[in-house]
Amino acid sequence: MADDVCNREPTIGHAMTAADAVEALVVDDERYRLLVDSIVDYAIYMLDPQGRVASWNRGAQRFKGYTDAEIIGEHFSRFYTDDDRAIGLPGRALRIAETEGRFEQEGWRVRKDGSLMWAHVLIDPIRGEDGTLVGYAKVTRDLTERRAALAALERSEQQFRLLVQGVRDYAIYMLDPQGKVTSWNRGAQRFKGYTDDEIIGEHFSRFYTDADRASGLPAQALRTAATEGRFEAEGRRVRKDGTCFWAHVVIDPIRGEHGELIGFAKITRDVTERRNTERALEDARARFVQSQKMEAIGQLTGGVAHDFNNLLAVVLGNLHLARKRLPPDRKLLQLVENSIQAAERGATLTKRMLAFARQQKLETGPVDVPELVRGMTELLQGSIGAGIPVATRFPPKLPLANVDANQLELALLNLAVNARDAMPEGGRITIAARDAVVAPDEIPGLAPGHYVCLSVTDTGDGMDAQTLARATEPFFTTKGVGKGTGLGLSMIHGFAEQSGGRLRLRSVPGQGTTAELWLPEAEAGDPGKAVPETALCPSATRPLRVLVVDDDPLVLMNTAALLEDLGHVVKEAASGAQALHVLRCAEPFDLVITDQLMPGMNGTQLIAAIGRDHPGLPAILATGYADPAEGEHADDVRLTKPFGQEELARAIQTKFQVERRILAFRPVADETGGSPGAMTEVAGSWLG
């Protein structure tokens, strides 16, 4: 019936009666009632003027939990909390709705079961045609879930803000599309020195250096971030106080819902310490690689020098013997002398190679460096020429250096000649010395302690960084072909390190070069090694029976020939084992001369075996370089290869002088007859 009424339309010319109007009004009321009752997401109900519930829809029942029968006629204040009722909120809500035409609020409301919900409440007054208040329309929506989501979002945002603000190792802040700072965290304040009030609203380009701003780097960074989605780089950035730090920077664009650019997120980290550590590690790695390379070259150089020494020993020995047997022919004598000079230059070259390889024999002792330099004045000036003045600068008092004086003179002479060659147009050379204390890790490769720093400074062309890095490499030279071996600085480098010091070079192109020799100070009371003052001559000893040991047949034959020419009787052995066999089976010997480097048993081991099996038999070690495995004894007398006949004779006589000094303090043989007494008697017959 209702549907029929609803669908009935008045026909044209048919007049609507009063009954029809009443019926239509009833139909409309029914429609509204059905509409309101079908709404379940809103509580829609009416109150009478006193606030009692007059109607109740299914949405209200779902939200509040009351049925129609339970709630109609009850006062709506029961939906409020005790606190709200205590302050009269329900009554105030109705008064506001009546007087102002509307009341709207969000707040906590109470369900039938006592639980709370967050509700949005709207109360409108209902008036009759004459304006009389007939009640209130009340619409309530349950926003508990939305409020919980908003609260969670708010908590998340608050936590995020706290997180960003709490980060101190990163500068995290935002820029607007033009690059002005819109937020600032504590990490940014710590890195850059600005407070929020000082920097928000300022352009971020102030963090860049003048050079970067001039090149347009800040704007380029924003363009890259906007177009490519990210900008990442490292570079120097400037703090508020003007100091610089090395920063890692990331800039990301921030876009709105429709893709529009609304700003940039910028994250900066101070990586100065990391970069310094990386650079220090790279430097250490480079020094290690260079050290390995130099060590390998040193081993190769030492081996080559040893073999070259053997060849030079043969050449020089044979030349000296040949010179003694030459007929009176000036031309022939000149040729031999020229060959000897060439061989001696080769010997000097091997000494430099061994010095670089740190395999030369050093006789260290206290040296007065200023006195040594003064004693070389004429030699230095004569070597570099009168056109280049040499000035010295020494303090009134300077500690003694613990160094080999002869090698120091050679090193100083090399440095002076290098300085002269660096000044083809003339200049001046300054030789200075000072006392210095080196702290741990202050100079790479140099142990902490007290040093004497001897320096040679020129005003020449100087060296660039690449040349300076290679200056101490063996055979590297900037001089023309035939004007240098490239071993001068490498020899000094090896000599300094073998002495426990360091060679340091400082140079600037066009401003000259300074070479510094850092030499360890001598310990107080160190007397050094005495140099024998007694003149020695080859004829001072009687003919001896000498056993010569060397695995190189050429060197063996040459040494034997030199000894035989001196009038000695010689027996040869090609190895340590063979030498011990000869000593057991042959007649007694007066002296053994042995090479150091031999397969199976080296010279040091052979001398030790001789000391055990044949006590009191003198032995001389012939070597081209100082081997760390060799023993060091106060009475050692050594032959440095290559050696000539004079050096050989002097070594023999020095050995027996040492033996005589030792025997002077040995006890006389006891009644059973022992070697000490016999040795004393024999020693007396060795010397003239």
Side-chain angles (χ1 to χ4, degrees):
M1 175 68 180
D3 291 341
D4 291 341
V5 174
C6 290
N7 292 329
R8 184 183 304 162
E9 298 290 342
T11 59
I12 296 175
H14 177 75
M16 180 177 288
T17 64
D20 292 333
V22 171
E23 185 179 357
L25 181 61
V26 171
V27 170
D28 287 340
D29 287 343
E30 184 65 21
R31 284 178 175 175
Y32 283 119
R33 189 176 299 108
L34 289 173
L35 172 65
V36 171
D37 195 52
S38 66
I39 295 174
V40 295
D41 289 332
Y42 289 84
I44 304 175
Y45 55 98
M46 287 185 63
L47 305 176
D48 66 14
Q50 289 72 40
R52 289 187 292 270
V53 178
S55 70
W56 196 247
N57 78 332
R58 281 188 292 175
Q61 181 174 339
R62 188 170 73 88
F63 287 173
K64 314 258 186 176
Y66 296 96
T67 63
D68 303 34
E70 291 173 319
I71 198 64
I72 291 178
E74 299 293 330
H75 200 274
F76 85 110
S77 62
R78 70 165 50 193
F79 306 140
Y80 286 75
T81 65
D82 293 340
D83 292 339
D84 286 345
R85 286 198 300 271
I87 62 174
L89 181 58
R92 188 167 68 249
L94 296 183
R95 287 194 299 273
I96 292 174
E98 180 183 4
T99 57
E100 300 181 8
R102 182 186 185 88
F103 173 81
E104 186 173 7
Q105 188 191 51
E106 287 187 7
W108 291 108
R109 296 296 183 267
V110 184
R111 296 187 179 96
K112 176 184 175 182
D113 61 6
S115 62
L116 297 177
M117 70 172 181
W118 187 261
H120 176 268
V121 177
L122 182 65
I123 303 177
D124 288 306
I126 303 174
R127 297 183 182 276
E129 293 182 357
D130 58 356
T132 304
L133 179 69
V134 296
Y136 300 92
K138 193 168 184 296
V139 180
T140 302
R141 187 179 182 188
D142 187 352
L143 299 181
T144 306
E145 292 183 1
R146 191 187 77 174
R147 186 176 188 275
L150 290 175
L153 179 60
E154 184 177 345
R155 285 194 303 271
S156 176
E157 290 177 348
Q158 179 66 18
Q159 289 173 350
F160 183 74
R161 280 194 296 271
L162 292 174
L163 171 65
V164 171
Q165 284 297 328
V167 172
R168 296 177 56 82
D169 290 334
Y170 289 84
I172 304 175
Y173 54 98
M174 287 185 63
L175 308 175
D176 67 13
Q178 290 71 44
K180 293 181 180 179
V181 178
T182 59
S183 72
W184 196 247
N185 80 327
R186 280 185 285 183
Q189 181 173 340
R190 187 172 73 88
F191 288 173
K192 313 216 177 185
Y194 297 95
T195 63
D196 303 40
D197 296 337
E198 293 174 319
I199 200 62
I200 290 180
E202 299 293 329
H203 200 272
F204 85 112
S205 61
R206 68 163 52 194
F207 309 139
Y208 286 73
T209 63
D210 293 340
D212 287 345
R213 285 199 298 270
S215 67
L217 182 58
Q220 179 187 347
L222 295 186
R223 282 196 303 271
T224 302
T227 57
E228 300 181 10
R230 182 184 181 85
F231 173 82
E232 184 172 4
E234 288 191 2
R236 302 188 77 84
R237 296 296 182 267
V238 183
R239 297 186 177 94
K240 176 184 175 182
D241 60 8
T243 59
C244 290
F245 67 101
W246 192 261
H248 176 267
V249 177
V250 176
I251 303 178
D252 290 305
I254 301 174
R255 299 189 179 277
E257 294 181 359
H258 304 290
E260 72 278 12
L261 182 69
I262 60 176
F264 299 92
K266 192 167 186 296
I267 301 176
T268 302
R269 188 179 185 189
D270 185 348
V271 293
T272 306
E273 291 185 7
R274 187 205 72 189
R275 184 169 185 265
N276 291 341
T277 302
E278 288 175 351
R279 294 181 67 177
L281 182 61
E282 290 173 2
D283 291 343
R285 186 181 294 114
R287 287 196 300 271
F288 177 69
V289 171
Q290 179 70 5
S291 174
Q292 285 187 314
K293 181 175 72 172
M294 299 301 280
E295 185 68 25
I297 295 174
Q299 292 177 358
L300 175 63
T301 303
V304 171
H306 174 263
D307 293 340
F308 196 30
N309 265 337
N310 284 343
L311 298 176
L312 286 173
V314 175
V315 172
L316 281 171
N318 289 336
L319 286 173
H320 282 296
L321 292 176
R323 183 176 58 181
K324 295 174 67 173
R325 291 165 172 76
L326 282 178
D329 185 334
R330 173 178 291 184
K331 183 67 174 178
L332 190 58
L333 181 61
Q334 185 178 1
L335 291 174
V336 173
E337 291 288 352
N338 192 42
S339 298
I340 291 174
Q341 290 178 13
E344 288 175 345
R345 286 180 60 184
T348 301
L349 182 62
T350 60
K351 286 181 180 179
R352 291 185 175 183
M353 294 170 68
L354 290 169
F356 162 73
R358 289 176 281 174
Q359 294 176 346
Q360 63 183 343
K361 175 66 177 176
L362 296 181
E363 298 291 339
T364 59
V367 173
D368 187 333
V369 172
E371 190 63 31
L372 180 140
V373 175
R374 294 187 191 101
M376 293 180 62
T377 301
E378 292 185 7
L379 175 62
L380 290 172
Q381 198 66 68
S383 299
I384 63 177
I388 298 178
V390 178
T392 58
R393 188 169 64 248
F394 302 121
K397 292 185 66 177
L398 190 68
L400 301 179
N402 187 40
V403 68
D404 185 315
N406 293 329
Q407 293 296 330
L408 180 58
E409 287 182 350
L410 180 61
L412 187 58
L413 184 60
N414 268 286
L415 291 176
V417 171
N418 278 353
R420 176 203 65 191
D421 294 342
M423 300 183 294
E425 305 299 326
R428 67 180 182 277
I429 297 175
T430 302
I431 302 176
R434 59 185 173 87
D435 183 16
V437 179
V438 176
D441 301 324
E442 181 180 353
I443 299 178
L446 199 60
H450 293 263
Y451 291 84
V452 174
C453 178
L454 175 63
S455 64
V456 177
T457 303
D458 65 61
T459 57
D461 299 333
M463 293 180 282
D464 58 27
Q466 185 177 4
T467 303
L468 190 64
R470 299 190 59 193
T472 57
E473 290 184 11
F475 309 112
F476 175 77
T477 179
T478 57
K479 300 176 183 179
V481 178
K483 295 184 178 180
T485 63
L487 284 171
L489 286 177
S490 63
M491 179 272 290
I492 300 169
H493 165 79
F495 156 67
E497 295 210 347
Q498 191 177 357
S499 301
R502 193 80 172 172
L503 171 65
R504 300 186 74 194
L505 299 175
R506 294 183 287 108
S507 187
V508 177
Q511 298 183 25
T513 300
T514 296
E516 294 181 343
L517 266 176
W518 290 72
L519 306 170
E521 286 187 10
E523 295 182 5
D526 185 358
K529 293 190 176 182
V531 178
E533 298 179 357
T534 306
L536 303 175
C537 67
S539 61
T541 61
R542 68 168 178 83
L544 305 173
R545 283 182 55 79
V546 183
L547 176 61
V548 180
V549 189
D550 201 304
D551 64 315
D552 189 322
L554 294 177
V555 178
L556 186 61
M557 184 182 69
N558 175 74
T559 306
L562 292 175
L563 289 167
E564 289 171 351
D565 188 67
L566 289 172
H568 302 301
V569 178
V570 180
K571 186 73 174 178
E572 299 175 4
S575 67
Q578 186 180 354
L580 293 176
H581 176 74
V582 171
L583 288 171
R584 285 194 300 268
C585 301
E587 297 180 13
F589 287 89
D590 300 315
L591 176 67
V592 176
I593 299 177
T594 177
D595 182 32
Q596 167 63 9
L597 286 184
M598 295 184 296
M601 179 186 295
N602 63 30
T604 305
Q605 294 167 338
L606 174 60
I607 292 175
I610 291 172
R612 290 191 302 269
D613 299 341
H614 306 276
L617 178 58
I620 295 176
L621 189 69
T623 179
Y625 60 93
D627 187 343
E630 296 176 13
E632 292 289 342
H633 305 288
D635 60 339
D636 273 354
V637 176
R638 302 192 182 193
L639 267 171
T640 301
K641 291 184 176 181
F643 53 83
Q645 192 175 46
E646 183 177 353
E647 290 84 4
L648 179 60
R650 289 172 64 87
I652 294 172
Q653 188 169 1
T654 302
K655 181 65 178 178
F656 289 140
Q657 280 198 343
V658 170
E659 290 292 339
R660 185 173 65 177
R661 288 197 298 270
I662 294 173
L663 290 172
F665 295 98
R666 286 182 181 171
V668 179
D670 56 24
E671 295 179 357
T672 60
S675 58
M679 190 65 189
T680 304
E681 182 180 352
V682 174
S685 67
W686 279 339
L687 302 174

